[in-house]
Amino acid sequence: MDDMRLKICVVIPCYKVRERILDVIGKIGPEVSRIFVVDDCCPEGTGVFVEHACPDARVRIIRSSVNQGVGGAVMAGYKAAIAEGLDIIVKVDGDGQMDPTLIPDFVAPIAAGEADYTKGNRFFDLEQIHVMPKTRLLGNALLSFMTKISSGYWDLFDPTNGFTAIHVDVARHLPFEKISRRYFFETDMLFHLNRLRAVVVDVPMDAKYGDEVSNLKVPNIIGEFMAKHMRNFAKRIFYNYYLRDMSLASIELPIGILMFLAGAIFGLVHWMNSLRTGILTPPGTVMFSALPVIIGTQFILAFIGHDISSIPKNPIHLRRKRLNSIKFKYIQKDSR
């Protein structure tokens, strides 16, 4: 595809970013044809400020009467971009942590037909990671591992990175009302993109931190995130391996879990009984417990291997474009 013909827009969710928003807008290059500034009921009146202080004709203000969180603000921007018939939607935060000059890097894989959705990865250059606060580094590593399991995108990292781009043909098929509105937004997006079988690609970027204070406190949200990851994992497994399709992996997972649990529980009962009575457990009983645990673990590992190899590889916006092209040709043929 020729990216010169693509209409690119930027969505900027705004909440307490009045001091930095004009600088962010000023760095957005001419490749962008529309900029949606989403005032998420900002107490600083960022929307009104931009409306009066920014001369950029590309800017459109979207106001929310109630604070929806970053997810709700981005969804409002997505809907506006879809309504205007734009092609690629880039999401950039208004706090200055994301460099708008990188927008072409996020658009390029989508324009080239290599991805449906791109996201930033601050962990790509290991030499630059030292600038990230240690608590964020540890938190992101933990959240990344949980996201790999729940979303099915095993090749991605830095899941809370909010610098993203998406093709509008993919965005219009997202269930806007079901996507998490607040801190879990970026991670929940990956889960819903996997349900669509969208191709997601990481884009390397440097970590950038100024004097801004993050509202995301990993120790406070780790429990909530864990519960939501478990929910998304269960849904993804059911959708992909039992509802949409069935394969050998659909059998390996339940058998592996049952054998592992049966062996572990059997062994635990006999171990506790041995502690209580002081009588050593017979070797045969130990083996009878260990064997299903070992076999069950092998089945689970086989399932994980299949899951890793099942990462979406064919961009869905290209498939939809080809189908529409074929339908159009048939309509033209029938009209003759």
Side-chain angles (χ1 to χ4, degrees):
M1 289 189 301
D2 184 0
D3 61 311
M4 297 300 292
R5 293 182 296 174
L6 294 173
K7 292 176 287 185
I8 303 167
C9 74
V10 172
V11 172
I12 309 177
C14 296
Y15 189 79
K16 295 184 179 180
V17 294
R18 176 171 172 154
E19 294 182 0
R20 300 179 178 87
I21 186 63
L22 292 183
D23 183 54
V24 172
I25 295 174
K27 292 179 180 178
I28 297 176
E31 70 277 359
V32 174
S33 57
R34 177 70 72 234
I35 302 171
F36 295 106
V37 174
V38 186
D39 186 330
D40 192 23
C41 198
C42 177
E44 298 176 351
T46 301
V48 175
F49 172 70
V50 171
E51 192 172 38
H52 290 88
C54 182
D56 196 322
R58 299 174 297 174
V59 173
R60 296 290 183 273
I61 309 298
I62 301 174
R63 294 184 177 85
S64 175
S65 58
V66 294
N67 179 258
Q68 303 182 80
V70 62
V74 173
M75 292 300 103
Y78 279 13
K79 291 176 183 177
I82 292 170
E84 282 204 23
L86 301 169
D87 296 304
I88 297 178
I89 310 168
V90 182
K91 181 258 183 181
V92 176
D93 286 342
D95 58 8
Q97 288 191 29
M98 301 170 184
D99 184 2
T101 62
L102 295 177
I103 288 175
D105 294 344
F106 284 77
V107 170
I110 301 176
E114 298 172 356
D116 296 303
Y117 183 86
T118 57
K119 54 172 289 296
N121 182 0
R122 293 163 291 182
F123 293 81
F124 187 83
D125 187 352
L126 299 180
E127 296 299 323
Q128 296 293 326
I129 292 180
H130 69 276
V131 304
M132 182 178 289
K134 297 298 184 291
T135 54
R136 291 193 183 187
L137 186 61
L138 179 61
N140 266 288
L142 180 58
L143 292 174
S144 292
F145 180 71
M146 290 192 295
T147 301
K148 289 174 184 289
I149 297 173
S150 67
S151 72
Y153 289 110
W154 292 88
D155 57 340
L156 301 182
F157 213 75
D158 198 10
T160 60
N161 195 308
F163 202 159
T164 65
I166 188 171
H167 196 283
V168 73
D169 285 343
V170 180
R172 64 164 46 98
H173 288 90
L174 288 170
F176 295 143
E177 71 286 350
K178 295 182 180 180
I179 297 175
S180 181
R181 289 290 195 261
R182 300 194 180 275
Y183 294 132
F184 198 63
F185 164 67
E186 289 87 1
T187 305
D188 208 29
M189 272 287 292
L190 293 175
F191 163 71
H192 287 284
L193 287 168
N194 186 280
R195 288 183 59 187
L196 295 174
R197 304 303 293 164
V199 176
V200 181
V201 173
D202 269 346
V203 176
M205 60 178 287
D206 292 339
K208 180 181 178 183
Y209 296 101
D211 57 355
E212 60 280 335
V213 179
S214 173
N215 293 319
L216 179 61
K217 307 298 181 184
V218 173
N220 297 338
I221 54 85
I222 197 70
E224 176 189 350
F225 273 33
M226 180 71 76
K228 290 181 176 179
H229 277 299
M230 291 176 64
R231 177 202 65 193
N232 283 357
F233 172 73
K235 287 184 177 180
R236 180 176 72 83
I237 296 303
F238 175 71
Y239 293 146
N240 289 355
Y241 290 95
Y242 299 100
L243 186 62
R244 173 183 289 155
D245 191 16
M246 289 196 70
S247 64
L248 184 60
S250 306
I251 302 172
E252 289 172 338
L253 182 62
I255 291 179
I257 292 175
L258 288 174
M259 293 190 70
F260 182 90
L261 291 177
I265 293 172
F266 181 81
L268 182 61
V269 169
H270 282 273
W271 176 69
M272 293 179 65
N273 185 60
S274 178
L275 289 178
R276 181 175 58 84
T277 62
I279 301 174
L280 293 177
T281 304
T285 302
V286 174
M287 288 300 299
F288 194 71
S289 170
L291 189 60
V293 169
I294 295 172
I295 296 176
T297 300
Q298 291 298 317
F299 273 118
I300 293 173
L301 291 175
F303 168 80
I304 293 174
H306 182 279
D307 197 45
I308 292 174
S309 67
S310 299
I311 296 171
K313 297 178 178 64
N314 299 313
I316 60 174
H317 77 268
L318 290 183
R319 297 203 303 268
R320 296 184 188 281
K321 183 177 180 180
R322 294 190 191 103
L323 287 173
N324 290 334
S325 177
I326 293 172
K327 289 178 182 178
F328 180 71
K329 289 179 180 178
Y330 274 114
I331 291 173
Q332 282 188 319
K333 184 177 180 180
D334 291 341
S335 64
R336 293 174 185 174

